[in-house]
Amino acid sequence: MIRDISNEIVVGLKDRLRDVRHMIRASRSDTIRTTAPEGPEVLLGHAARVVDKALTVAEKISISLVSQDPKAHSATIEARSLNAYFPGDSAKGEALFRRDVYYLAKRIFTILGCENPLVHEATFAAVHAAMIRRHAGRIKAATGTNGLAEISSACAILAFELQSGHQAQPLPPHMAGENTPDKASQFLCFSAIALAIGLASYSANEEPGDEKLVESALLALKARQTNLIEATEGKNRTDALSGLFAFLIPVLP
């Protein structure tokens, strides 16, 4: 069956489709920015819109064919707890993690005004693996004790791993030197996601509720940009960010 294809191949195919769609949307944006497009430019713009729609439909069809749980892709995405993302069944946790973080990152970059951001699911699959490989002890402490300090520490590490993974993701040729979000926006985005995961973990919410955890985390961090900058530039970056998270987690919804 098609659903028996390995997750790695499926994720790679989806990311390549997204790369092409990103290129099309970037082309459309360039066309819109030019003054009074005429002749061939109008035709190219129309063709780009058609291809963009076709690729969106193709992605939806591919999800329905290869996903183990197609309905999950149309559900509202919100941050879950560390227990949900790093359970005993690491494959199930990895699938949830890469899907959720992909959609959350896209959402936050859009809120931050980053036009047409390029994000790969494969990046977050690699981050999930790196967390287990490098920081299994921190994850176990956080999920085992549900303590504020342990959760804050694990989520601070996660924020840096997410940013590092995103910066290391290979860019397609058309993206070289183009409009990727700056480092400050990237760190704000991934810190908000990590903090939201910390909120879900502290309240022991393995399933998303009505709370807008990511939006609340983003607003709180934007209000403390100075602290966030210090966390990225100081010698003990993880401790600084962990301290900020430990301050925010008990007071945010």
Side-chain angles (χ1 to χ4, degrees):
M1 292 179 64
I2 295 177
R3 286 191 175 90
D4 292 332
I5 300 173
S6 74
N7 277 336
E8 185 177 351
I9 294 174
V10 171
V11 170
L13 289 172
K14 287 194 294 182
D15 282 342
R16 299 298 75 74
L17 270 176
R18 289 161 177 159
D19 285 347
V20 175
R21 185 174 60 186
H22 182 278
M23 179 177 64
I24 295 297
R25 289 178 176 174
S27 174
R28 285 176 57 188
S29 298
D30 291 341
T31 301
I32 292 170
R33 282 193 290 267
T34 60
T35 57
E38 297 179 356
E41 291 180 348
V42 173
L43 293 175
L44 284 172
H46 177 70
R49 285 192 295 272
V50 171
V51 174
D52 186 2
K53 290 179 181 178
L55 288 169
T56 300
V57 172
E59 182 182 358
K60 290 179 180 178
I61 292 173
S62 69
I63 286 172
S64 69
L65 290 174
V66 303
S67 176
Q68 297 292 336
D69 186 11
K71 291 182 180 179
H73 294 269
S74 59
T76 300
I77 303 298
E78 189 49 80
R80 303 167 194 253
S81 69
L82 289 167
N83 273 303
Y85 292 137
F86 299 95
D89 184 353
S90 60
K92 181 180 178 181
E94 182 266 346
L96 276 176
F97 181 83
R98 62 173 163 75
R99 186 205 67 179
D100 287 0
V101 176
Y102 169 81
Y103 286 108
L104 291 172
K106 293 273 284 188
R107 192 160 97 206
I108 295 176
F109 280 141
T110 300
I111 292 172
L112 294 176
C114 302
E115 184 180 342
N116 193 26
L118 183 66
V119 184
H120 288 152
E121 267 192 67
T123 296
F124 306 126
V127 169
H128 187 273
M131 287 294 295
I132 293 175
R133 185 173 65 253
R134 300 170 185 164
H135 312 293
R138 298 289 186 102
I139 294 171
K140 185 176 181 180
T143 56
T145 66
N146 203 43
L148 177 60
E150 290 79 8
I151 289 172
S152 299
S153 177
C155 290
I157 290 170
L158 176 59
F160 288 110
E161 289 284 2
L162 285 168
Q163 186 187 31
S164 176
H166 180 71
Q167 289 179 344
Q169 75 178 7
L171 295 177
H174 73 277
M175 274 294 294
E178 288 191 16
N179 57 336
T180 55
D182 58 41
K183 288 185 178 180
S185 296
Q186 290 178 38
F187 190 63
L188 180 56
C189 169
F190 294 122
S191 294
I193 292 173
L195 176 56
I197 292 172
L199 292 170
S201 301
Y202 192 61
S203 58
N205 289 337
E206 294 195 19
E207 292 298 322
D210 295 331
E211 300 92 346
K212 299 293 185 182
L213 298 182
V214 173
E215 280 80 355
S216 296
L218 180 61
L219 287 173
L221 292 174
K222 287 178 73 174
R224 293 165 177 82
Q225 284 275 33
T226 301
N227 303 84
L228 203 58
I229 292 171
E230 289 175 353
T232 64
E233 296 179 349
K235 292 182 179 180
N236 299 312
R237 301 191 309 162
T238 303
D239 290 344
L241 188 60
S242 177
L244 179 58
F245 282 3
F247 171 75
L248 292 172
I249 287 173
V251 300
L252 290 177

